[in-house]
């Protein structure tokens, strides 16, 4: 169960990292209102990525405690 939770957290982290990279590329090309919207989207993705990393660390910690 803990291995599954760790894998899911790692998958989430990877997905958010890719989304963040894509958003950064789009921000480089954007102007005006589009730039503001993409910047906000990027902030949200950064928050999601941070949460995914925390979940992964918690999963790893739980797995180590059960060994």
């Amino acid at each position: 169960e803990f291995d599954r939770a760790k894998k899911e957290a790692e998958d989430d982290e990877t997905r958010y990292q890719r989304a963040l990279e894509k958003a950064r590329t789009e921000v480089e090309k954007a102007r005006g209102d589009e730039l503001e919207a993409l910047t906000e989207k990027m902030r949200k993705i950064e928050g999601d990525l941070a949460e995914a990393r925390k979940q992964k660390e918690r999963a790893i910690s739980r797995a180590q405690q059960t060994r």
Side-chain angles (χ1 to χ4, degrees), residues 1-59:
E1 182 178 326
F2 294 114
D3 288 337
R4 182 181 55 81
K6 179 184 172 197
K7 174 73 170 118
E8 287 177 10
E10 289 172 345
D11 290 346
D12 286 346
E13 180 181 11
T14 300
R15 185 174 60 252
Y16 290 129
Q17 185 65 41
R18 287 182 183 148
L20 183 58
E21 290 170 9
K22 181 180 176 189
R24 284 184 177 145
T25 300
E26 291 173 0
V27 163
E28 290 175 5
K29 300 174 187 175
R31 300 287 181 262
D33 291 341
E34 182 184 18
L35 177 59
E36 289 178 32
L38 288 171
T39 300
E40 181 59 34
K41 178 182 176 182
M42 199 166 69
R43 283 190 200 116
K44 182 187 179 320
I45 294 170
E46 287 171 339
D48 293 342
L49 177 58
E51 183 60 32
R53 287 178 174 158
K54 287 179 189 177
Q55 289 177 358
K56 179 178 124 183
E57 291 303 315
R58 285 192 295 266

Side-chain angles (χ1 to χ4, degrees), residues 2-3 6 57-67:
F2 294 114
D3 288 337
K6 179 184 172 197
E57 291 303 315
R58 285 192 295 266
I60 290 169
S61 179
R62 285 191 305 263
Q64 290 172 342
Q65 291 174 358
T66 60
R67 288 183 185 181

